[in-house]
Amino acid sequence: MEVQEWRIGPVLKVGALLTSLGFATIGALAMHDGLLDGTQDLDAVFFAVLMVLALITIYRMVWWPRMTLTGSEILVRNPWRRYSVAVKDVVTLNTNPSGILIGDREGATVVAWVGQKGTGASWLGLTVRADKITEELATAVDEEHRRAGLPTPRTIRRYLPRAEE
């Protein structure tokens, strides 16, 4: 099996880029204003430092997360933590506004930030990027369970377009 990797979607990245540019501009103007008038206003410096921290946070929350499916495990890298789940131990896959939920045999649940499904999309029965990622993961889990001689979990939720239901 080839290694597959998913990251945050392009729409969120564009929004984060525009937000980052706004924060960078505001921080630069605040710092420039504080240095330009000769007072070296601590408020301006403090504000510029906050803008830099905001930029770091945006980077960690948008460009850092990824989920990698190797032959035998799912590696999840969220902004502040990393997780590893063996594919043969996966018993639940689901989507929600927080991300893709991956549950294992021990009852632990890992949330991968790479594919969020909004509540509205769920209510309307829309198939979004998170559903496609979940379906690819479910296929890999099914294959690994068959290969290991384990029963295929019945709790894996599959989201298919309404026309195929």
Side-chain angles (χ1 to χ4, degrees):
M1 165 183 270
E2 69 183 54
V3 174
Q4 291 180 285
E5 183 175 274
W6 297 276
R7 296 177 140 246
I8 297 290
V11 173
L12 185 58
K13 284 185 178 180
V14 169
L17 181 63
L18 294 175
T19 303
S20 297
L21 289 174
F23 276 129
T25 303
I26 291 169
L29 289 174
M31 188 66 150
H32 178 59
D33 182 48
L35 296 176
L36 188 63
D37 64 9
T39 62
Q40 294 182 352
D41 188 17
L42 285 179
D43 290 340
V45 173
F46 178 71
F47 191 70
V49 168
L50 284 179
M51 293 301 107
V52 169
L53 291 175
L55 290 172
I56 291 169
T57 302
I58 289 171
Y59 169 77
R60 290 293 289 215
M61 295 183 83
V62 177
W63 276 273
W64 187 257
R66 70 177 55 164
M67 181 171 57
T68 306
L69 173 63
T70 66
S72 61
E73 64 184 341
I74 301 169
L75 304 171
V76 176
R77 186 173 84 175
N78 285 336
W80 317 114
R81 292 194 63 189
R82 294 175 189 229
Y83 304 93
S84 174
V85 180
V87 175
K88 65 180 177 60
D89 291 338
V90 174
V91 293
T92 60
L93 289 171
N94 204 350
T95 58
N96 77 8
S98 298
I100 296 174
L101 305 175
I102 305 167
D104 66 8
R105 293 183 192 285
E106 297 172 3
T109 301
V110 172
V111 180
W113 286 33
V114 297
Q116 291 84 8
K117 182 171 184 171
T119 305
S122 294
W123 286 347
L124 295 172
L126 301 175
T127 300
V128 296
R129 183 174 172 269
D131 297 320
K132 295 171 186 170
I133 294 170
T134 302
E135 184 62 34
E136 290 181 45
L137 287 173
T139 301
V141 168
D142 288 347
E143 289 175 15
E144 184 66 25
H145 281 237
R146 268 195 299 277
R147 192 175 305 125
L150 299 169
T152 301
R154 296 184 185 276
T155 54
I156 291 179
R157 307 253 328 251
R158 295 181 186 269
Y159 292 93
L160 300 172
R162 289 183 166 218
E164 295 179 22
E165 291 181 349

